[in-house]
Amino acid sequence: MPRRRTSSSASSTAPSAAPRNRTPQPVRVRRRSFGDFVKAFLAFVVLLVLVVGVPLALATQIGWPLPDGAPGLDWLQREITVKTFLNILTVVVWFAWAQFTACVLVEVKAALSGVGVPGRVPGSGPSQLLARQLVAALLLVGATAASLTPGLSQLGQSMEGNQKPSVAAAQQTPGIFAQQQEQAAGTASALAEQAGQAAARADGAAAAHGDTKYYRIQPPEGRHHDSLWEIADRHLGDGRRYKEIFELNKDRVQPDGSKLSEASLIRPGWIMEMPGDARGGELVEMPDEAPNVSEQVRQQISDYARTGDHAQGGGGSGAQGGGSGAHGGGGDNAQVSLPEQRPAPATPATPAPSTGQDHAATPAAADHSFGLPEALLTAPLLAAGLLGALGRRRRQALWQSALGSVGGRRGMEPPTPTGDAQDVQDALLVGADPEGVRLLDRALRGLAAALTAESRPLPVVYAAWMGGNGDLHLQLAQPAGKPPAPWQLGQDQTFWMLARADAERYEDADTAAPYPGLVSLGTMDDSRLLLNLESVPGIVSLGGTEADRTAVFASVAAELATNGWSDRMTITLVGFGEDLTPLAPNRIRHLDGFEDLFETMSAETRQRRGALGAAGHDSVLTGRTGPAQHTRWAPHLVLLATQPSDEDALRLAELAADAGRLGIGYLVGTEGTDLPGAAWEMRITGEGKLLAPLLGLELEAQTLPAAQRRAVVELFTDADPEHGPGGSDGPGGASGTANTPPFLVDISEQGRPAVYARLVGSYEIIGLDAPDDDRSALLHEALALLLLHREGVHPRVLSSALWPRGVTADVRDALLERLRAWLGTDPDGTPRLATDATGRLTLAKSVVSDLDVLRSLYYEATQGRGVGSRQVRGRLLTDALVLVRGPLLADRPEGRYRWLTHEIIDAQLPLLVADTGLALSEFHLEKDRAEKAIEALNAALRTAPADERLWHELLRATHATGDPDRLRALAADLVGRSGARGVPPRTEALLDELLPTWRDGVAAAG
């Protein structure tokens, strides 16, 4: 089990750095006063009058106001008398009474159960508020045994044995739960009274006799939650002495059967033995000398005292204790615990998950980062999202360039990044864990599909932990029963766990993403924490310097914008991140200030509340299952990097009070520690630690520093066809520099290469002896990667491509030496595998591939010598098309060459072949050689069968033959290939022009 690192040691030496108490005042201890009883009596009288007296008065004094039979048409013409008016008024009063009575019943049920938020009676605003206040006043003096039940603040805290969970608690925000918090305050006072009976005796007798004293953990009061730090501060005079209390009570069985295993994990109703010099109220001495304490409390303290030798047996497991009464509704607190780490089975079926980094067995193997940005090397999910989005953007640019080309191809080659952008791209390639993203996405969607099949709602999930052994843990806001197979219960009822081996068996599920708001915050040991921002009941605040905060905000924004486990969402950035919009223009929007944000979010909050009510859903989670799941309830996540003013912070807190159920999340930067409405309070340090000081949560923060952020944005903007070198802002056209390949081959007889690799089709190498069989596959794959990147390949990129699950540096270096020896040297002694000034591996010009030759031939035909000579152009295009023998690396072994998923060559090669076929077809049609044009187009279609331009030219060339039967056969073949999607509109228009009767043939065939 990984052990948690906390900041407690630092706190002990630096009092100024000690975590601050959210509530400066200690828990109030007061008796129920005479005024409380008077209020309760008056509330009872008012309820009796309104609920019972009103209907009795109406029935006896006025009677039934409605007519006895169905009224006739003459009823509309009768004069309105005083009696008619009174009957109408009576009906209105009856409806008002019924509505108020329903409000009373709803509030009584919620108050007695203590679970969840009271339901809303439609259109009952003031009536329900009055009912809530009357019920709260009536029940205030009746809280007794309910106070002894652990509350909502214990979500996910039960642990087995010697587990070391790390917890980050979140106190409830002000707003719609204010009345419930008032009731909690009354409950706290009732419990405090029982302990306060012995306060005076505890002060004097303890000093005289040194008797053992005990303290009973108080339930939450408002936003205040008891902690060992506060207890030590009140009763020992120094909060840093909380460790003494912890050591006295560590691993002792508590009244609810669980044990204290972490100083930050305490529950209402637990008993703490105190050091001998403890002073102050709320302390209870040995129960025999505390007659005013209730018999139940006295017995609990007596039983607890007998565990003073810290016996380890009995009492039930922590998991069982936490699964019973310690979990209530999910609306009041949000906590996250480090799940129990289970060792992975030692079988090949469950290999360790890839972290996207080289795993070194010795210190020498670490190689630091070879100059690559460490922030992206250690963020596998963020890197995978950015890499996937960048690939999609580059493919989109290629397709847009192909469809929008006029007078030649634009953007045939995407720009090759240099400098920081090149380092960042390499870091993305090394750090990315696309397999982890795929498993996370399939696991979450599979869970949603299974719950939907069982007609069960999605549980509220506060966080997800991705363990080092590949297991996925979901931490729920409250117990939700047994999870559907293959999910299992984790360490307690609030953890659902899925083993990696089970996750790998999931298939793609046609269901909406259930938890799109999950985002990585950092790692603790080998576990990665993803917080579900949209489920937090309030605001998540982040303190620290502006630069450190912005680095965290940028990482969160970038991952949310590009992650692979969400469908749709809106990300609003305020105070930073205007430059991040190019990452996902359809997701990210930027607002200038708080007023714009408040206006926007107020309107959306009202709209979502109304939409949920109209749909009959209590939260967005229930709206993500069923028929409407793909069209509604996408999250809206707000990242406010600059601290709002005090007035704006209060407005934001009220706005965020109901955000958890509406699918709206708020992450707000702050310079201090107290932000109204903050459910999670975190701080980023200059050393890259993400801390929740009061709770001991310490993560290695995931960040995206300013320099890396600029480089990432540069990669995306350069790929944009509208702004890149080949777009509308660049030269464009056939003469644009974007058409120039990164590596041109001498295609004359004098330029014959020493080593020639055939990649387009089956993989063959000419000019080298076959390597040893046991290393042949790795050497061939490494050479293919280098051939596709003539600009150079970083050694860590090469090793992560060949060994996605990691490799030690000595194995990597040994392979590079074999590769150098295999490639050999040129006649002048120059090695064919060299290292450039940046440390990247490059191939000599004497090592070429057929893809290099294909690019060079097309370039020379369309922009070089072929421009001025028709004969040369025809010969070059024909030679280029002859090189095409099939798809890239057609016979590559299964399980290898997975790095090709990060490349765009799968989009480039078909476009290049299609452009070559189109150019050669045009060349032949200029001389009315339709058969030659058809031959060229058919050759190109074998590699690019989905290119609509080739089919258009084939239709025109076939039409030029003057054979209508042949054209009808081609049209029928094209319709058949289109399938259920139908013929594309432009193709349909072309068929109408060339063969108006083509639909008749389709109908006859059908």
Side-chain angles (χ1 to χ4, degrees), residues 735-770:
S735 61
T737 58
N739 288 323
T740 305
F743 177 69
L744 286 172
V745 178
D746 182 0
I747 56 176
S748 66
E749 287 296 329
Q750 293 76 23
R752 186 177 298 275
V755 177
Y756 181 68
R758 305 176 73 181
L759 304 179
V760 184
S762 58
Y763 191 2
E764 300 175 17
I765 298 178
I766 302 171
L768 292 177
D769 295 331

Side-chain angles (χ1 to χ4, degrees), residues 60 76 121 164 192 243 482 495 532 572 589 636 793 847:
T60 58
L76 299 175
V121 180
K164 304 288 184 181
K243 295 180 180 179
K482 184 179 179 181
F495 275 99
N532 191 5
T572 297
R589 67 178 179 181
H636 188 159
V793 177
V847 181

Side-chain angles (χ1 to χ4, degrees), residues 460-476:
V460 177
V461 168
Y462 281 145
W465 288 92
M466 296 187 70
N469 59 359
D471 293 349
L472 173 63
H473 300 256
L474 297 183
Q475 184 166 358
L476 314 185

